Structures are given as C-alpha cells and as structure tokens.
Amino acid sequence: MKKAIESKWKKAIDNILIYNLYILILGAIFLGISFTLSVSGNSDLYNLFQKLWFPIFIPSLSLFFTAILIETIFNKLVDRNDK
C-alpha cells in the first residue's frame, strides 16, 4: 500500500517537473527568437519576454534546480543506506 502511494506521488511530481521542463525549453526558444529579432531592430517580443521573466521563468527555474538538488540529496542518502 505504501509503495502504491509513493508511486502515485512520485508520478504526480514527475509530471509537474516534465511540464516545468517544457516551460523552460519553450522559454529558451522564445528568448532566442526575441533576442534575434531585437538585434535586427524589433524589440517588442524581447520586451514581452522581460515582462514574463519574473512571473513565469524565475519560478520555473527555481523549481527545476530545487528538484535537481533534492533528487541528488535523496539519491545520495538512499545509496548510503544501501551500502
């Protein structure tokens, strides 16, 4: 029973992190396109990216790096307990 609950929890968290990764990838593509357009003189898309930076991309980056840190610590603890 406990394994099933952990599995559902892990699956839900993994799905959230996958969607978060998609947001980061789309954000990187959006940044590249907007930067390219701003270099050629059209900075409207870059200004939109700057407006979206704090409400969307900063929390997404924070969640991504926090998840990596927690996963690394968790795996180190599990590996240490298995030895």
Side-chain angles (χ1 to χ4, degrees):
M1 177 81 175
K2 189 174 181 182
K3 279 284 193 187
I5 293 173
E6 287 180 10
S7 178
K8 287 181 184 179
W9 243 94
K10 184 157 176 45
K11 187 171 176 111
I13 291 174
D14 286 345
N15 285 337
I16 291 170
L17 292 175
I18 288 170
Y19 291 131
N20 185 46
L21 183 62
Y22 289 149
I23 290 170
L24 291 175
I25 291 170
L26 290 174
I29 293 169
F30 182 53
L31 174 62
I33 292 169
S34 64
F35 182 72
T36 304
L37 289 175
S38 71
V39 168
S40 61
N42 186 0
S43 63
D44 294 334
L45 205 56
Y46 187 69
N47 290 334
L48 177 63
F49 179 81
Q50 287 180 331
K51 289 179 184 176
L52 295 176
W53 177 250
F54 284 107
I56 294 176
F57 298 116
I58 290 291
S60 185
L61 283 166
S62 298
L63 179 64
F64 180 73
F65 286 118
T66 303
I68 289 173
L69 180 65
I70 290 171
E71 184 73 22
T72 303
I73 292 170
F74 182 73
N75 286 338
K76 292 278 186 186
L77 291 174
V78 168
D79 288 344
R80 186 178 297 168
N81 288 337
D82 288 342
K83 286 184 179 179

